[in-house]
Amino acid sequence: MSTGTPETLLESESIDLTDESAAGIAARSPLELFWRRLRRDKVALVSLGIVLFMVLMAIFAPLIVKVFGLPNPNTQNDDLLGDFGEPTGPSGAHPFGVDERGRDVLARVIYGSRVSLEVAFIATALIVIIGVTAGLVTGYYRGKVDTFISRVMDLFLAFPVLVLAVGLGVACADGCLGGAIQPGLPVVIFVITLTTWPYMARIVRGQVLSLREREFVEASRSLGAGDPRIIFREILPNLVAPIIVYATVLIPQNILYEAALSFLGVGVDPSKPSWGAMISDATSIFQDAWWFMLFPGLALLVTVLAFNIVGDGLQDALNPRTSK
């Protein structure tokens, strides 16, 4: 039985806060904790590498085509066709074969990544800007403002995406709204943004409704902070994680939207290679030229799958409940 005084016992059992392990844990920044969680997910890291590869391929598509000695994706060469004018399969000079017009499929797949990723990133950026702004306003001010903007969101959610795209693609063949909406990719980006931003707005609104009642917001309000300061300095920083996660979900979704619209022949300039348009062109000759559909289809599948896996990995890494 110990005979020491309570003070002595407490001193002997106290934890040394200068211990190196405790100091190391305390010194970890949120970015370091995020990276520690993410690097444990090997599948997400591999998928992130694939995403970076696709992005670099889209940026340097002309250089890649030139380095590998591939022809221009729009160059038609009847000499590359078979004896009866049929497309020829993969070969050493053309690893992905050629299409029915003698155009190199590999070059068109490489250039097709530019269209898909351009639409995906631009549309996602616009969706985030509009959706986050609308969600912050509706969630923070509530009342009549919330009711009005929520009804507007319901209205846009009621639009059928493909029908609207086909209608705008035909109506805006020569430009719409005084030339503000031009045919081609702008129509695709406009349709995707118009029909998708309410989803982001609803997610942000739900988060803001919860955050505005938290103690740190009440403390900031009691110190005399105005609404703009509370929204942008207190609430918005706490929304970064869900915004990033949902944006990574939107990117593959928008890639599929672009492919679907290109498949229907809406909006995309026929002179620009697109994975969706290539799949559409291949449907009539698939039995004789399977490679024309296979390779752009694989590129689309791998890209969308990689983005989805990266999104799941980011969600786990940004979750504060994930074990450190």
Side-chain angles (χ1 to χ4, degrees), residues 60-315:
F60 299 105
L63 179 61
I64 294 174
V65 169
K66 182 178 180 180
V67 168
F68 283 94
L70 300 174
N72 185 284
N74 292 322
T75 300
Q76 301 184 23
N77 189 352
D78 294 337
D79 294 335
L80 299 178
L81 299 176
D83 296 335
F84 300 97
E86 75 279 6
T88 56
S91 62
H94 306 280
F96 287 4
V98 298
D99 63 9
E100 78 283 4
R101 298 180 184 177
R103 298 174 297 187
D104 186 84
V105 175
L106 176 57
R108 293 182 64 79
V109 168
I110 293 174
Y111 269 82
S113 64
R114 309 189 90 183
V115 174
S116 296
L117 295 181
E118 180 182 354
V119 170
F121 283 118
I122 294 177
T124 300
L126 294 175
I127 291 167
V128 168
I129 293 172
I130 299 173
V132 169
T133 302
L136 285 171
V137 172
T138 56
Y140 184 81
Y141 290 103
R142 298 188 299 184
K144 294 182 179 180
V145 174
D146 185 14
T147 301
F148 174 75
I149 298 181
S150 295
R151 297 295 80 78
V152 172
M153 288 191 288
D154 292 337
L155 176 64
F156 282 111
L157 288 174
F159 280 112
V161 179
L162 295 181
V163 175
L164 178 63
V166 172
L168 284 177
V170 175
C172 297
D174 298 321
C176 293
L177 300 179
I181 303 177
Q182 295 293 328
L185 291 183
V187 172
V188 177
I189 295 173
F190 175 76
V191 170
I192 294 175
T193 304
L194 186 68
T195 56
T196 308
W197 71 266
Y199 294 102
M200 173 67 78
R202 284 190 167 184
I203 290 175
V204 173
R205 174 182 175 272
Q207 295 289 330
V208 174
L209 287 174
S210 174
L211 290 173
R212 74 185 304 276
E213 305 299 335
R214 302 287 292 272
E215 292 79 2
F216 65 90
V217 174
E218 294 294 337
S220 181
R221 188 179 291 113
S222 66
L223 293 175
D227 290 343
R229 179 180 177 83
I230 293 175
I231 291 175
F232 293 104
R233 297 292 297 274
E234 304 294 342
I235 296 179
L236 184 58
N238 289 278
L239 297 174
V240 172
I243 290 173
I244 291 176
V245 171
Y246 191 63
T248 58
V249 174
L250 283 176
I251 291 175
Q253 177 180 315
N254 291 339
I255 291 175
L256 291 176
Y257 273 155
E258 183 278 325
L261 296 176
S262 298
F263 184 87
L264 296 175
V266 177
V268 177
D269 186 352
S271 64
K272 291 185 177 182
S274 169
W275 292 339
M278 293 176 67
I279 295 174
S280 176
D281 294 339
T283 54
S284 59
I285 59 172
F286 175 71
Q287 293 183 347
D288 299 322
W290 52 266
W291 55 89
F292 190 26
M293 179 181 290
L294 175 65
F295 293 114
L298 284 177
L300 180 63
L301 173 64
V302 170
T303 303
V304 172
L305 181 61
F307 271 107
N308 282 327
I309 295 176
V310 169
D312 291 339
L314 289 177
Q315 184 176 10

